Amino acid sequence: MTPPLSAEQCRTLDSTDPVRHWRESFEIPDSVIYLDGNSLGPMPRATPARLEQAIRQEWGQGLIRSWNTAGWVDKPATVGAAIAPLIGARASEVVCADSTSLNLFKVLAAALNMRPARKVIVSEIGNFPTDLYIAQGLSRLLDQGHELRLVERDAIPAAIDESVAVVMLTQVDYRTGSRLDMADLTRQAHDAGAVMIWDLAHSAGAIPVDLNACHADFAIGCGYKYLNGGPGAPAFVFVAEHHAESFTQPLSGWMGHAAPFDFDPAYRPAPGIARYLCGTPPMLSMIALQCGVDIMAAAVREHGMQVLHDKACALIDLFINTVTAGGNPHGLTLLTPAASHERGSQASFSLADGDQAYAVVQALIARGVIGDFRAPNILRFGFAPLYLSYTEVHQAALTMREVLDERSWDSPSFLTRQAVT
């Protein structure tokens, strides 16, 4: 194992960090080390003023005219276009709309319609629950005999055969941070004649993604994690250009109509990705999302996504090596792969006792180190390079060691589960 860095070495790394100036773009309390951007990104400093402008001027003064004069009607496309370079897509292939769950419903329905003779959806048994719930609900709704085939991660390739209509996977595991090989699995799906859907919830803005190079068919992702769009921010959906005029989606709302303001009683889908819109977009949330996306897009233009991910991986290694230095007397199990190309931008540990794991996270939060807990027994920490320093991560790891060494987690206040973990 690599020896942990000293505090002085961390300060030296911070002084030469080429992306350190982006920290000033975010509002983070001085007393907090924020390791939960993989669940909810921090607020960009530009967001309050931009929202005030939207509320007081565009809504307050412009009123309904702002759909035209302030470009509200174009926001789903313009924000989608800004996200596109972050995921290796063309601007015309991405639109912002609805939530990840709704967007998955749309693309899964479209994909199944593209393979009507096949009835199997392959996914990982540990996939994020909402993905599995949506697949189960859609299968019940269609009532055409579809089967959700759930397998362990290492059994995915063997499960993809000629009975499979759709392979539906999340690139980065939300619990462990382990990363699937997008290019290889997409190729295997296509070789078997299946359609490939990727969930990028823990990928977009966190790791280099190239959907077009991997020949992905569909992808969805959220705006409130590494894109820093705010709680419940609108999600995005990607449809490969070669599918643009051949797919249908079931939520045929008026904003996805070819001419919504003709008020035609018969639905005609808009050309291309625009047909994935449904109802009126939530404009204030969309504007807040744009603030976060603009920061990430500018940082990627300046440095490249690989540079950002390299720093995130260095932070992860620093955290892991410092937490585990000198042995492992507390029974922590590292769940995150050691190799940077096999993981996203998080580090996860487990403890045998789930109550203890939860309490350790709560004790850390009480000391200003914010991570989160995932059932049944996982301590999860996210590492976003734009606003985290080496010194902070080093201190967070030392704090975790102190919480474990001193058993300060063993308190009724930390053991009592809250609604959101």
Side-chain angles (χ1 to χ4, degrees), residues 254-412:
W254 81 302
M255 290 301 289
H257 192 279
F261 286 91
D262 284 357
F263 301 105
D264 188 341
Y267 181 76
R268 290 183 294 115
I273 191 67
R275 71 184 62 182
Y276 262 84
L277 295 176
C278 184
T280 304
M283 198 44 53
L284 297 180
S285 296
M286 194 77 70
I287 288 169
L289 172 60
Q290 186 166 22
C291 293
V293 170
D294 285 348
I295 292 172
M296 179 57 65
V300 170
R301 286 195 299 271
E302 180 177 343
H303 307 285
M305 193 66 225
Q306 189 61 54
V307 169
L308 303 185
H309 185 51
D310 288 345
K311 179 186 173 183
C313 287
L315 294 174
I316 293 169
D317 290 339
L318 170 62
F319 186 78
I320 292 171
N321 290 338
T322 305
V323 166
T324 58
N328 182 23
H330 304 292
L332 288 167
T333 297
L334 178 65
L335 302 178
T336 304
S340 60
H341 69 279
E342 295 178 355
R343 67 189 181 200
S345 287
Q346 70 186 63
S348 297
F349 295 90
S350 66
L351 286 166
D353 184 342
D355 288 336
Q356 180 189 357
Y358 176 82
V360 169
V361 170
Q362 298 308 305
L364 284 170
I365 292 172
R367 295 189 182 202
V369 177
I370 300 181
D372 63 22
F373 167 84
R374 288 295 176 261
N377 62 346
I378 296 174
L379 304 86
R380 192 177 72 154
F381 306 94
F383 297 86
L386 294 188
Y387 53 80
L388 283 172
S389 69
Y390 292 91
T391 298
E392 285 179 308
V393 170
H394 183 253
Q395 183 57 52
L398 293 178
T399 302
M400 183 164 165
R401 291 184 61 172
E402 290 171 2
V403 165
L404 290 165
D405 289 342
E406 299 168 3
R407 291 185 62 87
S408 57
W409 56 267
D410 194 4
S411 165

Side-chain angles (χ1 to χ4, degrees), residues 157-245:
I160 304 173
D161 57 31
E162 293 183 357
S163 70
V164 176
V166 178
V167 180
M168 179 187 74
L169 298 171
T170 299
Q171 186 185 20
V172 175
D173 187 285
Y174 77 101
R175 302 158 305 168
T176 68
S178 60
R179 188 199 312 188
L180 291 171
D181 188 328
M182 177 182 285
D184 187 55
L185 286 168
T186 301
R187 178 190 56 77
Q188 291 181 55
H190 289 166
D191 286 349
V195 179
M196 188 75 232
I197 298 174
W198 286 102
D199 183 334
L200 304 179
H202 291 270
S203 304
I207 63 174
V209 178
D210 198 335
L211 291 171
N212 279 324
C214 295
H215 307 291
D217 298 297
F218 299 95
I220 52 100
C222 70
Y224 50 81
K225 292 183 174 67
Y226 295 100
L227 299 182
N228 307 297
F236 65 86
V237 60
F238 158 89
V239 178
E241 192 170 72
H242 60 278
H243 293 315
E245 303 301 328

Side-chain angles (χ1 to χ4, degrees), residues 46-67:
T47 301
R50 179 64 186 94
L51 283 176
E52 183 172 14
Q53 177 190 14
I55 291 168
R56 294 189 179 278
Q57 298 179 24
E58 296 172 15
W59 181 15
Q61 300 300 315
L63 298 168
I64 199 168
R65 294 170 294 184
S66 288
W67 283 103

